[in-house]
mmCIF file of all heavy atoms in Angstrom:
data_model
loop_
_atom_site.group_PDB
_atom_site.id
_atom_site.type_symbol
_atom_site.label_atom_id
_atom_site.label_comp_id
_atom_site.label_asym_id
_atom_site.label_seq_id
_atom_site.Cartn_x
_atom_site.Cartn_y
_atom_site.Cartn_z
ATOM 1 N N GLU A 87 -40.177 23.202 31.200
ATOM 2 C CA GLU A 87 -38.718 23.162 31.478
ATOM 3 C C GLU A 87 -38.365 22.067 32.506
ATOM 4 O O GLU A 87 -37.253 21.600 32.562
ATOM 5 C CB GLU A 87 -38.278 24.526 32.043
ATOM 6 C CG GLU A 87 -38.269 25.633 30.931
ATOM 7 C CD GLU A 87 -37.919 26.973 31.537
ATOM 8 O OE1 GLU A 87 -37.404 27.037 32.677
ATOM 9 O OE2 GLU A 87 -38.135 28.010 30.847
ATOM 10 N N GLU A 88 -39.349 21.711 33.307
ATOM 11 C CA GLU A 88 -39.151 20.645 34.282
ATOM 12 C C GLU A 88 -39.523 19.259 33.707
ATOM 13 O O GLU A 88 -39.580 18.285 34.447
ATOM 14 C CB GLU A 88 -39.996 20.893 35.561
ATOM 15 C CG GLU A 88 -39.562 22.121 36.373
ATOM 16 C CD GLU A 88 -38.315 21.808 37.216
ATOM 17 O OE1 GLU A 88 -37.824 20.669 37.173
ATOM 18 O OE2 GLU A 88 -37.842 22.724 37.917
ATOM 19 N N GLY A 89 -39.839 19.255 32.429
ATOM 20 C CA GLY A 89 -40.158 17.963 31.797
ATOM 21 C C GLY A 89 -41.595 17.543 31.971
ATOM 22 O O GLY A 89 -41.902 16.348 31.911
ATOM 23 N N LEU A 90 -42.475 18.504 32.210
ATOM 24 C CA LEU A 90 -43.861 18.167 32.538
ATOM 25 C C LEU A 90 -44.859 18.743 31.480
ATOM 26 O O LEU A 90 -44.671 19.911 31.050
ATOM 27 C CB LEU A 90 -44.276 18.750 33.904
ATOM 28 C CG LEU A 90 -43.403 18.280 35.087
ATOM 29 C CD1 LEU A 90 -43.839 19.044 36.346
ATOM 30 C CD2 LEU A 90 -43.614 16.769 35.299
ATOM 31 N N ASP A 91 -45.779 17.948 31.101
ATOM 32 C CA ASP A 91 -46.884 18.406 30.223
ATOM 33 C C ASP A 91 -48.100 18.544 31.152
ATOM 34 O O ASP A 91 -48.771 17.609 31.438
ATOM 35 C CB ASP A 91 -47.162 17.361 29.166
ATOM 36 C CG ASP A 91 -48.383 17.668 28.340
ATOM 37 O OD1 ASP A 91 -48.778 18.850 28.310
ATOM 38 O OD2 ASP A 91 -48.957 16.722 27.728
ATOM 39 N N VAL A 92 -48.301 19.774 31.636
ATOM 40 C CA VAL A 92 -49.341 20.018 32.653
ATOM 41 C C VAL A 92 -50.645 20.517 31.998
ATOM 42 O O VAL A 92 -50.623 21.406 31.144
ATOM 43 C CB VAL A 92 -48.858 21.079 33.662
ATOM 44 C CG1 VAL A 92 -49.974 21.497 34.619
ATOM 45 C CG2 VAL A 92 -47.707 20.473 34.498
ATOM 46 N N VAL A 93 -51.723 19.927 32.416
ATOM 47 C CA VAL A 93 -53.028 20.364 31.970
ATOM 48 C C VAL A 93 -53.771 20.886 33.201
ATOM 49 O O VAL A 93 -53.884 20.185 34.204
ATOM 50 C CB VAL A 93 -53.849 19.187 31.330
ATOM 51 C CG1 VAL A 93 -55.279 19.665 31.004
ATOM 52 C CG2 VAL A 93 -53.170 18.674 30.121
ATOM 53 N N ILE A 94 -54.262 22.130 33.079
ATOM 54 C CA ILE A 94 -55.038 22.719 34.232
ATOM 55 C C ILE A 94 -56.522 22.507 33.897
ATOM 56 O O ILE A 94 -57.023 23.020 32.922
ATOM 57 C CB ILE A 94 -54.728 24.201 34.433
ATOM 58 C CG1 ILE A 94 -53.233 24.405 34.790
ATOM 59 C CG2 ILE A 94 -55.599 24.773 35.538
ATOM 60 C CD1 ILE A 94 -52.822 25.835 34.957
ATOM 61 N N SER A 95 -57.183 21.735 34.769
ATOM 62 C CA SER A 95 -58.587 21.384 34.545
ATOM 63 C C SER A 95 -59.370 21.765 35.766
ATOM 64 O O SER A 95 -59.231 21.097 36.825
ATOM 65 C CB SER A 95 -58.704 19.898 34.245
ATOM 66 O OG SER A 95 -60.044 19.523 34.034
ATOM 67 N N HIS A 96 -60.190 22.785 35.650
ATOM 68 C CA HIS A 96 -60.969 23.207 36.799
ATOM 69 C C HIS A 96 -62.128 22.260 37.135
ATOM 70 O O HIS A 96 -62.602 21.539 36.229
ATOM 71 C CB HIS A 96 -61.512 24.650 36.585
ATOM 72 C CG HIS A 96 -60.441 25.697 36.712
ATOM 73 N ND1 HIS A 96 -60.136 26.306 37.880
ATOM 74 C CD2 HIS A 96 -59.604 26.249 35.794
ATOM 75 C CE1 HIS A 96 -59.167 27.190 37.692
ATOM 76 N NE2 HIS A 96 -58.822 27.156 36.433
ATOM 77 N N PRO A 97 -62.546 22.197 38.369
ATOM 78 C CA PRO A 97 -63.595 21.275 38.784
ATOM 79 C C PRO A 97 -64.998 21.732 38.374
ATOM 80 O O PRO A 97 -65.159 22.901 38.002
ATOM 81 C CB PRO A 97 -63.444 21.177 40.323
ATOM 82 C CG PRO A 97 -62.988 22.569 40.651
ATOM 83 C CD PRO A 97 -62.099 23.007 39.533
ATOM 84 N N SER A 98 -65.941 20.886 38.553
ATOM 85 C CA SER A 98 -67.356 21.233 38.365
ATOM 86 C C SER A 98 -68.059 21.078 39.736
ATOM 87 O O SER A 98 -67.510 20.478 40.624
ATOM 88 C CB SER A 98 -68.013 20.346 37.348
ATOM 89 O OG SER A 98 -68.006 19.014 37.790
ATOM 90 N N ALA A 99 -69.232 21.620 39.790
ATOM 91 C CA ALA A 99 -70.014 21.496 41.058
ATOM 92 C C ALA A 99 -70.286 20.040 41.391
ATOM 93 O O ALA A 99 -70.380 19.656 42.569
ATOM 94 C CB ALA A 99 -71.304 22.267 40.948
ATOM 95 N N SER A 100 -70.480 19.215 40.379
ATOM 96 C CA SER A 100 -70.778 17.794 40.589
ATOM 97 C C SER A 100 -69.534 16.930 40.791
ATOM 98 O O SER A 100 -69.678 15.792 41.209
ATOM 99 C CB SER A 100 -71.612 17.265 39.420
ATOM 100 O OG SER A 100 -70.883 17.373 38.222
ATOM 101 N N ASN A 101 -68.378 17.443 40.473
ATOM 102 C CA ASN A 101 -67.168 16.650 40.572
ATOM 103 C C ASN A 101 -66.003 17.525 41.047
ATOM 104 O O ASN A 101 -65.183 17.980 40.246
ATOM 105 C CB ASN A 101 -66.821 15.998 39.214
ATOM 106 C CG ASN A 101 -65.864 14.791 39.401
ATOM 107 O OD1 ASN A 101 -65.679 14.293 40.505
ATOM 108 N ND2 ASN A 101 -65.255 14.356 38.312
ATOM 109 N N PRO A 102 -65.974 17.831 42.372
ATOM 110 C CA PRO A 102 -64.956 18.727 42.892
ATOM 111 C C PRO A 102 -63.549 18.144 42.804
ATOM 112 O O PRO A 102 -63.346 16.944 42.451
ATOM 113 C CB PRO A 102 -65.373 18.905 44.337
ATOM 114 C CG PRO A 102 -66.213 17.699 44.685
ATOM 115 C CD PRO A 102 -66.889 17.305 43.390
ATOM 116 N N ALA A 103 -62.557 18.951 43.142
ATOM 117 C CA ALA A 103 -61.168 18.612 42.969
ATOM 118 C C ALA A 103 -60.766 17.308 43.667
ATOM 119 O O ALA A 103 -60.101 16.450 43.116
ATOM 120 C CB ALA A 103 -60.270 19.742 43.438
ATOM 121 N N LEU A 104 -61.207 17.161 44.940
ATOM 122 C CA LEU A 104 -60.830 15.990 45.689
ATOM 123 C C LEU A 104 -61.395 14.700 45.052
ATOM 124 O O LEU A 104 -60.718 13.658 45.004
ATOM 125 C CB LEU A 104 -61.306 16.105 47.128
ATOM 126 C CG LEU A 104 -60.823 14.966 48.060
ATOM 127 C CD1 LEU A 104 -59.284 14.882 48.127
ATOM 128 C CD2 LEU A 104 -61.401 15.187 49.493
ATOM 129 N N ASN A 105 -62.629 14.770 44.580
ATOM 130 C CA ASN A 105 -63.196 13.586 43.860
ATOM 131 C C ASN A 105 -62.368 13.231 42.642
ATOM 132 O O ASN A 105 -62.132 12.030 42.395
ATOM 133 C CB ASN A 105 -64.640 13.889 43.447
ATOM 134 C CG ASN A 105 -65.600 13.745 44.583
ATOM 135 O OD1 ASN A 105 -65.242 13.482 45.708
ATOM 136 N ND2 ASN A 105 -66.884 13.993 44.279
ATOM 137 N N ARG A 106 -61.956 14.241 41.911
ATOM 138 C CA ARG A 106 -61.165 14.008 40.699
ATOM 139 C C ARG A 106 -59.812 13.350 41.082
ATOM 140 O O ARG A 106 -59.318 12.507 40.340
ATOM 141 C CB ARG A 106 -60.924 15.307 39.947
ATOM 142 C CG ARG A 106 -62.181 15.838 39.307
ATOM 143 C CD ARG A 106 -61.962 17.293 38.807
ATOM 144 N NE ARG A 106 -60.919 17.274 37.766
ATOM 145 C CZ ARG A 106 -61.170 17.192 36.482
ATOM 146 N NH1 ARG A 106 -62.401 17.067 36.029
ATOM 147 N NH2 ARG A 106 -60.163 17.204 35.582
ATOM 148 N N LEU A 107 -59.251 13.746 42.197
ATOM 149 C CA LEU A 107 -58.008 13.148 42.642
ATOM 150 C C LEU A 107 -58.232 11.644 43.009
ATOM 151 O O LEU A 107 -57.466 10.782 42.613
ATOM 152 C CB LEU A 107 -57.434 13.888 43.866
ATOM 153 C CG LEU A 107 -56.070 13.431 44.371
ATOM 154 C CD1 LEU A 107 -54.979 13.903 43.403
ATOM 155 C CD2 LEU A 107 -55.800 13.949 45.790
ATOM 156 N N ARG A 108 -59.299 11.378 43.731
ATOM 157 C CA ARG A 108 -59.618 10.006 44.129
ATOM 158 C C ARG A 108 -59.922 9.115 42.938
ATOM 159 O O ARG A 108 -59.608 7.909 42.948
ATOM 160 C CB ARG A 108 -60.759 9.995 45.131
ATOM 161 C CG ARG A 108 -60.438 10.742 46.457
ATOM 162 C CD ARG A 108 -61.616 10.698 47.408
ATOM 163 N NE ARG A 108 -61.897 9.353 47.822
ATOM 164 C CZ ARG A 108 -62.950 8.996 48.602
ATOM 165 N NH1 ARG A 108 -63.765 9.928 48.994
ATOM 166 N NH2 ARG A 108 -63.135 7.764 49.005
ATOM 167 N N GLN A 109 -60.522 9.715 41.914
ATOM 168 C CA GLN A 109 -60.901 8.935 40.724
ATOM 169 C C GLN A 109 -59.719 8.741 39.746
ATOM 170 O O GLN A 109 -59.812 8.022 38.775
ATOM 171 C CB GLN A 109 -62.023 9.674 39.963
ATOM 172 C CG GLN A 109 -63.311 9.711 40.744
ATOM 173 C CD GLN A 109 -64.295 10.750 40.191
ATOM 174 O OE1 GLN A 109 -63.990 11.481 39.249
ATOM 175 N NE2 GLN A 109 -65.460 10.871 40.784
ATOM 176 N N GLY A 110 -58.596 9.405 40.067
ATOM 177 C CA GLY A 110 -57.434 9.302 39.178
ATOM 178 C C GLY A 110 -57.504 10.172 37.966
ATOM 179 O O GLY A 110 -56.618 10.120 37.084
ATOM 180 N N ILE A 111 -58.482 11.080 37.924
ATOM 181 C CA ILE A 111 -58.578 12.035 36.765
ATOM 182 C C ILE A 111 -57.519 13.092 36.892
ATOM 183 O O ILE A 111 -56.901 13.485 35.894
ATOM 184 C CB ILE A 111 -59.957 12.654 36.760
ATOM 185 C CG1 ILE A 111 -61.062 11.618 36.573
ATOM 186 C CG2 ILE A 111 -60.050 13.765 35.685
ATOM 187 C CD1 ILE A 111 -62.471 12.170 36.711
ATOM 188 N N SER A 112 -57.277 13.542 38.112
ATOM 189 C CA SER A 112 -56.232 14.567 38.377
ATOM 190 C C SER A 112 -55.190 13.969 39.276
ATOM 191 O O SER A 112 -55.487 13.136 40.173
ATOM 192 C CB SER A 112 -56.871 15.821 39.027
ATOM 193 O OG SER A 112 -57.930 16.323 38.221
ATOM 194 N N GLN A 113 -53.961 14.429 39.089
ATOM 195 C CA GLN A 113 -52.854 13.963 39.961
ATOM 196 C C GLN A 113 -52.477 14.949 41.055
ATOM 197 O O GLN A 113 -51.953 14.577 42.097
ATOM 198 C CB GLN A 113 -51.610 13.689 39.112
ATOM 199 C CG GLN A 113 -51.701 12.459 38.213
ATOM 200 C CD GLN A 113 -52.583 12.678 37.018
ATOM 201 O OE1 GLN A 113 -52.387 13.630 36.223
ATOM 202 N NE2 GLN A 113 -53.557 11.773 36.850
#
Side-chain angles (χ1 to χ4, degrees):
E87 290 175 15
E88 292 283 359
L90 302 174
D91 174 22
V92 172
V93 175
I94 299 178
S95 178
H96 286 271
S98 64
S100 61
N101 199 16
L104 186 59
N105 280 3
R106 291 170 62 93
L107 186 74
R108 296 180 65 184
Q109 295 163 358
I111 299 173
S112 304
Q113 288 75 54

